[in-house]
């Protein structure tokens, strides 16, 4: 997983009107014209006002590298609703503050302000995509975030009150209802991602990880003891806590999105924004982990089961980070990391049962050693912990870029 930083390289911005693919080629081949051909005042980009476009254009004369840059990113400039969107688009195409200095600007934000001011706006405005605002959505997303936990709690109660075939029916109906509730909860709000952003593989790996949290530890223990000879115990407390954690996950994601947008507005450089966004992201992540820990303790006390803090905690952290990235359009790294984690857990189970074959007992030795030292919960803890750490490193590099916050991921 060491190459996660390369999985979601800045590409075409998700906002309308992204620049064309030749922008970076122009910057590499003709960017040196900026220093020689730009005859503008070094402070030209600072404090650009509504009428600054005509003044700057008049000063530059024939050699105008900013005008050439605007031509390359014409649609981005015309469709942008504010300079921040242009700055985010330029950053997504690889333009840094050092590149902006070649255009006689102190940073990308200043360059974006000039480009925004110089765009002619006397033509018919380009229609913008309509998204539901806070008033239209109201608190719907906050209510829907409670749905998975409520349905999961009802399912757990049903399992406690039934036996035999009725219990199997309750389990099947409960699993289906929780899946529908989770889909509804993620359909709106700060954790919402367009359907094309969430791949089928990501959904499959997520379902496997949740199923292992419910069934995996019991099956692993039974397999190492020579079974299973019958039904093995279910870990309902950790799964119930994870379902209830959908609500704090959505609230923490909204807190991060709103605060990051404010800091983006107040920042005057890409590095300044990244420096302020990183502690905000880590603080939001820690807040969610505290909420999940409290829910695990509550569910364990009510159901008289083990809280499984390490395994459920690392799984919750992994799922939150994956959803934050997916909601912002960064889908490759979450799919890869979730797939590797699911494959590792499946391999551990397969190794235990494959070790029963004649002459293959050595296959189960690593898992047997780990379980014998720390218990069956050590397998998901190590797997999900390593995956969550790798994804956290990648997230701190990705969601601290201005281009990740050019537009809200969903209705606030």
């Amino acid at each position: 997983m060491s190459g996660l930083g390369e999985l979601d390289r800045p590409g075409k911005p998700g906002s309308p009107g992204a620049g064309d693919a030749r922008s970076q080629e122009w910057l590499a081949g003709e960017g040196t014209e900026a220093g020689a051909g730009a005859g503008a005042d070094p402070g030209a980009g600072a404090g650009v006002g509504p009428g600054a476009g005509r003044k700057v254009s008049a000063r530059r004369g024939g050699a105008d590298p900013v005008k050439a840059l605007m031509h390359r990113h014409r649609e981005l400039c015309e469709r942008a609703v504010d300079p921040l969107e242009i700055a985010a688009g330029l950053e997504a195409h690889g333009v840094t503050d050092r590149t902006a200095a070649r255009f006689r600007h102190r940073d990308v934000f200043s360059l974006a302000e000039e480009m925004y001011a110089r765009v002619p706006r006397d033509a018919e405005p380009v229609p913008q995509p309509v998204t539901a605002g806070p008033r239209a959505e109201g608190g719907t997303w906050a209510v829907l975030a409670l749905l998975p936990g409520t349905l999961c709690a009802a399912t757990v109660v049903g399992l406690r009150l039934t036996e035999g075939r009725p219990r199997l029916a309750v389990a099947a109906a409960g699993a289906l209802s929780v899946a529908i509730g989770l889909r509804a909860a993620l359909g709106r709000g700060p954790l919402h991602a367009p359907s094309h952003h969430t791949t089928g593989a990501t959904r499959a790996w997520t379902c496997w990880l949740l199923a292992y949290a419910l069934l995996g530890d019991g099956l692993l223990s039974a397999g190492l003891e020579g079974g299973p000879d019958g039904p093995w115990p279910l870990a309902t407390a950790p799964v119930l806590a994870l379902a209830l954690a959908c609500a704090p996950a959505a609230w923490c994601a909204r807190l991060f999105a709103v605060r990051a947008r404010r800091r983006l507005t107040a920042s005057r450089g890409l590095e300044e924004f990244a420096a302020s966004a990183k502690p905000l992201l880590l603080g939001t992540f820690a807040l969610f982990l505290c909420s999940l820990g409290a829910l695990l303790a509550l569910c364990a006390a009510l159901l008289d089961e083990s809280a499984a803090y390490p395994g459920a905690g690392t799984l919750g952290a992994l799922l939150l980070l994956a959803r934050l990235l997916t909601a912002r359009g960064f889908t490759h790294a979450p799919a890869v990391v979730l797939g590797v984690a699911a494959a590792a857990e499946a391999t551990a189970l397969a190794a235990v049962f494959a070790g029963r074959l004649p002459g293959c007992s050595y296959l189960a030795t690593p898992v047997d050693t780990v379980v014998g030292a720390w218990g069956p919960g050590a397998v998901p803890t190590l797997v999900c912990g390593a995956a969550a750490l790798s994804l956290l490193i990648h997230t701190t590099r990705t969601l601290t870029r201005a281009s990740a916050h050019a537009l809200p991921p969903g209705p606030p």
Side-chain angles (χ1 to χ4, degrees):
M1 300 183 188
S2 60
L4 287 179
E6 302 296 325
L7 291 176
D8 287 315
R9 299 182 69 87
K12 185 176 181 180
S15 56
D20 55 50
R22 297 191 301 166
S23 305
Q24 192 65 18
E25 297 178 6
W26 180 87
L27 286 174
E30 301 186 27
T32 54
E33 295 180 7
D41 185 12
V48 177
R54 294 185 296 273
K55 297 179 181 179
V56 173
S57 180
R59 289 200 307 268
R60 291 185 182 272
D64 192 347
V66 175
K67 184 177 180 180
L69 184 63
M70 291 174 61
H71 177 72
R72 297 292 185 184
H73 298 274
R74 178 176 58 83
E75 292 186 3
L76 172 64
C77 296
E78 290 177 351
R79 293 176 182 267
V81 296
D82 55 34
L84 290 177
E85 189 172 340
I86 296 179
L90 293 177
E91 185 207 29
H93 279 80
V95 179
T96 64
D97 291 340
R98 179 175 298 181
T99 308
R102 292 154 61 181
F103 293 91
R104 301 297 180 89
H105 285 273
R106 65 180 177 273
D107 50 46
V108 174
F109 286 80
S110 176
L111 175 60
E113 285 178 353
E114 179 181 348
M115 294 172 66
Y116 181 77
R118 293 176 61 179
V119 174
R121 304 191 182 277
D122 51 355
E124 182 180 354
V126 178
Q128 298 294 328
V130 179
T131 56
R135 294 184 182 179
E137 286 290 331
T140 304
W141 68 266
V143 175
L144 290 176
L146 298 171
L147 195 56
T150 303
L151 293 174
C152 189
T155 302
V156 171
V157 172
L159 291 175
R160 290 294 179 101
L161 298 178
T162 56
E163 294 181 358
R165 291 187 177 181
R167 191 182 191 196
L168 292 177
V170 169
L176 180 60
S177 63
V178 171
I180 295 174
L182 183 60
R183 185 180 181 87
L186 299 179
R188 293 185 180 182
L191 291 178
H192 167 68
S195 57
H196 64 278
H197 281 180
T198 307
T199 62
T202 301
R203 297 190 186 98
W205 305 141
T206 302
C207 291
W208 167 265
L209 292 171
L210 291 174
Y212 189 95
L214 178 65
L215 306 167
D217 288 351
L219 180 59
L220 188 66
S221 298
L224 290 173
E225 294 172 1
D229 299 322
W232 58 91
L234 304 179
T236 54
V239 175
L240 176 58
L242 289 170
L244 293 171
C246 288
W251 298 333
C252 289
R254 185 184 187 279
L255 174 65
F256 173 66
V258 172
R259 295 293 180 87
R261 184 70 179 177
R262 291 178 182 174
R263 298 192 181 190
L264 177 61
T265 305
S267 298
R268 297 305 309 167
L270 300 178
E271 294 182 358
E272 179 183 343
F273 172 73
S276 63
K278 185 173 294 186
L280 174 62
L281 174 62
L282 296 177
T284 304
F285 180 66
L287 179 61
F288 169 76
L289 290 182
C290 292
S291 302
L292 178 58
L295 289 173
L296 285 170
L298 177 62
C299 293
L302 292 177
L303 299 177
D304 193 22
E305 294 183 8
S306 172
Y309 291 108
T314 53
L315 175 57
L318 174 61
L319 295 179
L320 174 68
L321 293 171
R323 193 62 192 183
L324 285 176
L325 287 169
T326 302
R328 292 289 176 180
F330 303 99
T331 59
H332 197 148
V336 170
V337 174
L338 291 175
V340 170
E345 289 184 346
T347 301
L349 282 175
V352 170
F353 290 98
R356 298 181 180 181
L357 298 175
C360 297
S361 59
Y362 65 91
L363 294 175
T365 301
V367 179
D368 193 10
T369 303
V370 171
V371 173
W374 298 296
V379 172
T381 299
L382 293 175
V383 170
C384 294
L389 179 60
S390 301
L391 209 55
L392 178 61
I393 296 174
H394 179 67
T395 303
T396 56
R397 295 175 179 175
T398 303
L399 296 189
T400 55
R401 296 202 303 254
S403 54
H405 304 276
L407 292 176

